[in-house]
Amino acid sequence: MRLNQADGGPGGGGGAADYKVTSPDLRAIGNEAQELFHWFEADAFHAGAQTDTAANSLDADGFQTGPALWTIWDAWRTQCETLLSACAHIHNHLEDTIVTHTNHEEELVTNFSMSKISQHFN
């Protein structure tokens, strides 16, 4: 697959792009990542207090499942934080990509317009 004027192979010269992603596409993906972040953030950690109570109670009663429950909770919490971080990163990166692309397009249009104007004065 070639993306947006990528080198077509030996001899150079990019070919026509066969895959196109628009700003609305990127924004939609970024919004989905943000929605997942907010949904998961609200639901991922609600069992923390109950897990603490259960783990301490089991440990106090001499059950080895108390510390094991804490180990499981810690692994879950770490994985949740990793997923939340990834969602935030995806959303922020795609938003930045949209803004950067828009600014770049505006600069290109302005430069092209200025070069056309300059042709008339030479």
Side-chain angles (χ1 to χ4, degrees):
M1 177 188 311
R2 289 183 309 228
L3 298 177
N4 194 23
Q5 304 300 319
D7 183 10
D18 60 355
Y19 185 74
K20 181 178 180 180
V21 178
T22 63
S23 291
D25 294 333
L26 296 177
R27 183 165 279 115
I29 294 167
N31 288 344
E32 289 292 327
Q34 185 179 39
E35 186 177 321
L36 177 59
F37 176 93
H38 290 301
W39 171 81
F40 197 69
E41 182 182 40
D43 292 339
F45 302 110
H46 71 276
Q50 292 83 1
T51 301
D52 180 49
T53 301
N56 288 334
S57 178
L58 288 167
D59 191 36
D61 290 340
F63 290 99
Q64 293 180 351
T65 52
L69 189 56
W70 256 115
T71 300
I72 292 167
W73 169 251
D74 190 50
W76 170 256
R77 185 186 49 76
T78 300
Q79 291 174 354
C80 290
E81 290 170 352
T82 300
L83 178 60
L84 288 170
S85 179
C87 288
H89 181 76
I90 290 166
H91 173 262
N92 293 341
H93 178 74
L94 291 176
E95 285 296 315
D96 184 56
T97 298
I98 292 166
V99 170
T100 301
H101 177 73
T102 300
N103 291 342
H104 184 67
E105 286 293 314
E106 289 173 3
E107 183 179 338
L108 287 173
V109 167
T110 301
N111 289 343
F112 181 72
S113 298
M114 292 304 292
S115 70
K116 286 293 188 185
I117 291 170
S118 294
Q119 286 178 356
H120 296 287
F121 292 106
N122 290 333

